[in-house]
Amino acid sequence: MFERTLFGFCLLVALAPIGCGDDDDGGTDAGTDTDTDTDTDADTDTDTDTDTDTDTDTDTDSDTDTDGGGDIGAPCSCEVAACSSAGVPIPNGGGAENIVGCDAVPSFAGADLVCLRSYAGALANNMWFANGYCALMATLCTGTGSNAEQAESLLCPTAEFGDYAALDGCPTGYVGIAFSQDVEVTIGSLTLTATVDNKICAKTCTADDQCRPDETDPIWDDEATQYTCVDEKDPVLFCYDPRNLPDPADYTATQY
């Protein structure tokens, strides 16, 4: 059985010549020396360099990334200052240019590109997204309670992104998840509450092995992830860690 906790947000105030001679003295003696140099020695060295050694190294990089190729559901990271506040991840990272690993995620009207990341701490709801999860998302934040105006100004700026009203569905082939959550943050003696409405485009699936189930989560002491092909809304199936979802009755899932 998995532990389930509502999805959390940051809500804080976040390459390279033969010589001869004749002596004639009147005698009949004549020089008859016919000796000639018959040395026919020639250099017959025919040695040639027959080295035909060639580099036959055919080693190639056989890495075949099966983690989603940068599409929705793929691992991701966000490291610049705008990616978090007080150590709590901000899903849209302050802008798509700050998110690494989601280059193949399609754009969609109303949605921000997000890298959903794990969080373990007391400053926001716990989250389980081992090694990051690329998605499209929009939120709407509304302050509630007696300090609603302060909640709007202090909580909602980092909790709200995308255009919630304009996000109508998801790109074809993906699953849209929608749910609301109540959040509460205490700052000193001040307790602030708000309601955050979420629309998320997730990866569709037919089996767990399509959902990165063998990874571990460094934020949670390298424990095994619980990414699975969630079937709570069968026949609509999607890759997610269900600990980040409310009870099945409290969210919707739609195949696009």
Side-chain angles (χ1 to χ4, degrees), residues 189-213:
S189 61
L190 180 64
T191 297
L192 302 175
T193 59
T195 297
V196 179
D197 298 316
N198 309 281
K199 293 179 181 177
I200 305 168
C201 295
K203 178 181 179 178
T204 191
C205 56
T206 57
D208 288 345
D209 62 5
Q210 299 171 335
C211 301
R212 302 163 49 202

Side-chain angles (χ1 to χ4, degrees), residues 24-32:
D24 189 0
D25 59 355
T28 59
D29 182 30
T32 59

Side-chain angles (χ1 to χ4, degrees), residues 148-205:
E149 186 175 341
Q150 288 173 292
E152 292 267 357
S153 62
L154 296 177
L155 302 187
C156 291
T158 54
E160 188 171 273
F161 49 85
D163 188 334
Y164 187 85
L167 179 54
D168 183 16
C170 292
T172 301
Y174 300 93
V175 171
I177 309 167
F179 59 91
S180 297
Q181 68 185 116
D182 293 325
V183 296
E184 179 178 301
V185 175
T186 299
I187 304 174
S189 61
L190 180 64
T191 297
L192 302 175
T193 59
T195 297
V196 179
D197 298 316
N198 309 281
K199 293 179 181 177
I200 305 168
C201 295
K203 178 181 179 178
T204 191
C205 56

Side-chain angles (χ1 to χ4, degrees), residues 3 14 21 48 51 82-83 90 104 126 136 147 168-169 174 191 195 203 208 212 214 227 235 241:
E3 177 185 357
T48 58
D51 181 10
C83 296
I90 297 177
N126 289 331
L136 292 170
N147 297 311
D168 183 16
Y174 300 93
T191 297
T195 297
K203 178 181 179 178
D208 288 345
R212 302 163 49 202
D214 299 326
Y227 285 137
D241 188 322

